[in-house]
Amino acid sequence: MGKRALITGITGQDGSYLAEFLLQKGYTVFGLIRRSSTTPTERINHLSDQLQLVSGDLLDERSLRQIIETCQPDEIYNLAAQSFVPESWNQAILTGEVTALGATRLLNAILDVNPRIRFYQASTSEMFGKAQTVPQNESTPFYPRSPYGVSKLYAHWITVNYRESYGLFACSGILFNHESPRRGLEFVTRKVTYAVAEIQAGLRHELLLGNLDARRDWGYAPDYVQGMWLMLQAEEPDDYVLATGETHSVHEWVEKSFQAVGLDYRDYVKTDPRFVRPAEVDLLIGDASKARTRLGWKPTVTFDELVEIMVNADRELIQRQQIVQQSLSRHQRRGTV
């Protein structure tokens, strides 16, 4: 009989890729979704007949206990969070409730229902923030620079504390930026590649961005969900950095995205102070030596390949949208809609 896994945040980028990965491994996969008439499920619609979605909320510990009792998972992956860093400044308290205390409620529920469950906490390189050393590894001091980073740091340390205090198999993956065509449009990488596709199609003529000098360690999301799974297959629980070990600026991402369609970004990109964070994280670059050595994990997609994957996916998306719009317009002219 295959293993059973519960994923919070299953409708997000990582949740959808992790669900695919686990289904391929023969898991029965449960996904936690909030009761909401507007819950976006487009990233997992293609898996709808293979997933079992359950309603619950990280703000409600009782619902979490009931879900764990019903689903009886062997593994829980906590990927749910208010994960858009700029928005965490506008919703600092909600970010803390969901991202920090949500993880605590989930750990409490595991402790009450079945302490043998293996638990994965989605930590983040944003916890390093104003990085004290370069590159950053599992021993680097944390210095978060946003409510999101602070909330994730709480969740990270509470996971460590429950592991050490109660003997839970609880791991934190300190993941550096990882992108894909399923990235939300509010994130700078996808904001850029989608804009490039629109500009090439003649649908827009400029792109407004914030700090082009910020540097990040960008990898490919499907590589990183494999790392999450590997952490829970290890003999002992521990925390691991997942990263490519390379750093690139937003400026580089922009330039290469436009180059992919034969355009010069300087003709289209303008900086706008509205998109600059109150406290910027300037340089993040990870050292994933521990994950490489102990888990056998390594990234498989290069920076240039990642840019190309995302630009091409958005070009195809825009083309599909245009075909649908043209078809709709024809039907409207004929009076058949």
Side-chain angles (χ1 to χ4, degrees), residues 301-337:
V301 174
T302 67
F303 177 79
D304 288 359
E305 289 169 342
L306 176 59
V307 172
E308 188 173 344
I309 287 170
M310 291 180 62
V311 169
N312 288 339
D314 277 327
R315 290 174 67 189
E316 291 173 6
L317 175 61
I318 292 295
Q319 289 170 0
R320 290 197 302 271
Q321 290 174 346
Q322 288 182 307
I323 291 170
V324 170
Q325 186 60 44
Q326 289 166 1
S327 175
L328 184 61
S329 296
R330 285 196 300 271
H331 286 298
Q332 287 175 333
R333 287 195 299 271
R334 295 170 183 166
T336 56
V337 175

Side-chain angles (χ1 to χ4, degrees), residues 176-191:
F176 281 65
N177 292 62
H178 46 287
E179 316 298 316
S180 77
R182 298 181 192 174
R183 193 57 140 155
L185 288 170
E186 68 273 20
F187 291 88
V188 67
T189 49
R190 183 78 196 292
K191 180 180 179 180

Side-chain angles (χ1 to χ4, degrees), residues 243-301:
T244 68
E246 295 181 9
T247 183
H248 298 273
S249 67
V250 175
H251 180 275
E252 287 179 79
W253 184 276
V254 170
E255 186 174 19
K256 287 186 178 294
S257 296
F258 277 89
Q259 284 177 351
V261 296
L263 297 175
D264 186 336
Y265 78 96
R266 289 171 293 191
D267 295 333
Y268 305 96
V269 175
K270 297 179 182 178
T271 56
D272 188 327
R274 290 179 301 164
F275 299 114
V276 177
R277 299 182 189 178
E280 182 58 271
V281 174
D282 296 314
L283 173 60
L284 291 174
I285 176 170
D287 174 8
S289 300
K290 181 176 172 182
R292 288 174 182 266
T293 302
R294 297 191 186 179
L295 303 178
W297 178 87
K298 63 180 179 180
T300 65
V301 174

